[in-house]
Amino acid sequence: HRIPSLQLNDGRTIPQLGFGVFKVDPDETERIVLDAFEAGYRHIDTAAIYRNEQGVGRAIAASGIPRDELFITTKLWNDRRGEAEARAALGESLEKLGLDRVDLYLIHWPTPSAGSPVETWETLGALRDEGLTTSIGVSNFDERYLPEILETGFVPAVDQIELHPQFQQRATTSLAAEHDIKIEAWGPLGQGKVDYASTVIGEIAERHGISWAQATIAWHLQSGRIVFPKSNRRARMAENIAAATVQLTADDIAAIDALDQGEAGRVSADPAEVS
Ligand code: NAD
């Protein structure tokens, strides 16, 4: 499969379609990530809190895929705020991944109850300058939390937020667009919690002879977002990556855009409440 790439605001490129490993059992991660590589994925999205960085690292080592063909993201967990903690945490993640740098390092949540994220964010800037991560970004920083980050002068390359047809986060995506910050959509399929097959997405999928998941992934890709749907199953890994070749019409895109329910469409945690 030819996976399209996007250029980030720091000049780097990112494969627009990847594979996420949230809730992938640490004991099965090596095999599942090797299956994902076999299916053609080269971009892996993990996090310290997923407790499966070691499995991702073992899969990378076993795969024999040249490092520069891979794009590996991990994330700083909420209890590692401040300069010393953030430095130590990235070191631990690199050790587990068996890498000397990641491609993208994110602050996982804004955790407003822990105070300002500015010192932590500036530390990520220093870690990037030192080459321990190629790019830096934030996750779950919606329009309430992004402005404080932007004031530092370090612009995130990406903002990774919950985003799927019924929850499109328009205020955050337009603020991000103003600063050329790419949106990474997590839960791109609604985490299996929404019956998208019974919406207009099911009709669109039928017309194109594809699945509702492929139609949804294609909608993200054609809207300029980065996605990494998760599945433990090889058939779905293949199905999801094949969405890169789907061409939806402008009308299809508009029909899916119209499914947005604003705040009511959220299926996971509100960043204001995550500590
Ligand atoms: P997702 O929307 O990718 O949904 C995954 C679920 O959808 C699977 O468990 C499976 O049940 C179903 N599914 C997958 N492919 C399917 C298909 N082809 N047909 C039918 N059902 C299918 O949700 P996610 O895993 O939460 O999000 C993707 C990735 O985003 C994660 O693995 C993780 O890397 C990242 N993420 C980040 C955050 C964050 O706070 N930054 C939070 C959640 C997820």
Side-chain angles (χ1 to χ4, degrees):
H1 289 286
R2 244 191 57 77
I3 304 292
S5 283
L6 291 182
Q7 181 154 30
L8 301 173
N9 59 21
D10 60 10
R12 305 293 178 161
T13 57
I14 185 169
Q16 203 182 348
L17 179 54
F19 185 74
V21 295
F22 179 44
K23 293 195 171 159
V24 173
D25 185 330
D27 294 332
E28 291 186 84
T29 301
E30 178 180 357
R31 177 185 60 78
I32 288 170
V33 172
L34 280 168
D35 284 348
F37 288 150
E38 181 82 24
Y41 294 91
R42 291 293 179 270
H43 168 180
I44 305 294
D45 183 87
T46 185
I49 196 69
Y50 302 167
R51 313 220 179 276
N52 56 22
E53 289 168 308
Q54 260 163 337
V56 173
R58 279 195 291 268
I60 292 169
S63 73
I65 298 169
R67 176 68 184 88
D68 65 1
E69 290 176 22
L70 294 173
F71 191 101
I72 309 296
T73 298
T74 195
K75 315 187 191 86
L76 176 73
W77 187 241
N78 303 343
D79 59 358
R80 311 299 300 272
R81 302 293 286 261
E83 178 171 7
E85 282 294 303
R87 279 186 173 278
L90 179 54
E92 289 159 28
S93 286
L94 290 173
E95 174 87 32
K96 288 177 180 154
L97 290 162
L99 299 176
D100 55 14
R101 64 166 182 92
V102 286
D103 296 279
L104 178 60
Y105 196 46
L106 306 179
I107 300 184
H108 206 143
W109 291 90
T111 56
S113 60
S116 166
V118 161
E119 179 187 334
T120 308
W121 175 242
E122 290 180 341
T123 302
L124 264 62
L127 293 166
R128 179 188 61 188
D129 293 346
E130 293 162 30
L132 297 171
T133 179
T134 305
S135 296
I136 55 173
V138 292
S139 179
N140 299 302
F141 281 64
D142 61 29
E143 80 283 4
R144 297 168 291 181
Y145 306 110
L146 208 45
E148 192 177 5
I149 290 292
L150 292 168
E151 276 166 24
T152 64
F154 286 110
V155 185
V158 307
D159 192 358
Q160 181 178 131
I161 55 175
E162 181 187 337
L163 198 154
H164 41 93
Q166 69 173 33
F167 187 52
Q168 296 183 33
Q169 302 235 45
R170 295 235 160 92
T172 300
T173 60
S174 63
L175 178 58
E178 281 171 35
H179 298 273
D180 191 25
I181 298 166
K182 291 286 183 277
I183 295 293
E184 295 192 325
W186 68 251
L189 302 174
Q191 295 189 317
K193 297 170 184 166
V194 183
D195 181 11
Y196 281 125
S198 302
T199 68
V200 70
I201 296 173
E203 294 163 32
I204 291 167
E206 198 174 325
R207 206 172 334 105
H208 288 268
I210 58 177
S211 69
W212 72 268
Q214 288 176 316
T216 305
I217 294 165
W219 168 74
H220 283 291
L221 296 175
Q222 287 179 237
S223 305
R225 290 185 290 272
I226 298 154
V227 274
F228 20 80
K230 175 255 171 183
S231 177
N232 289 345
R233 290 152 60 170
R234 300 176 72 147
R236 281 181 171 176
M237 292 177 192
E239 176 185 331
N240 293 346
I241 202 170
T245 59
V246 170
Q247 269 301 321
L248 300 179
T249 66
D251 284 349
D252 296 334
I253 304 277
I256 302 176
D257 284 347
L259 294 177
D260 190 21
Q261 297 176 9
E263 187 57 36
R266 188 195 292 279
V267 301
S268 191
D270 181 339
E273 279 146 28
V274 175
S275 57

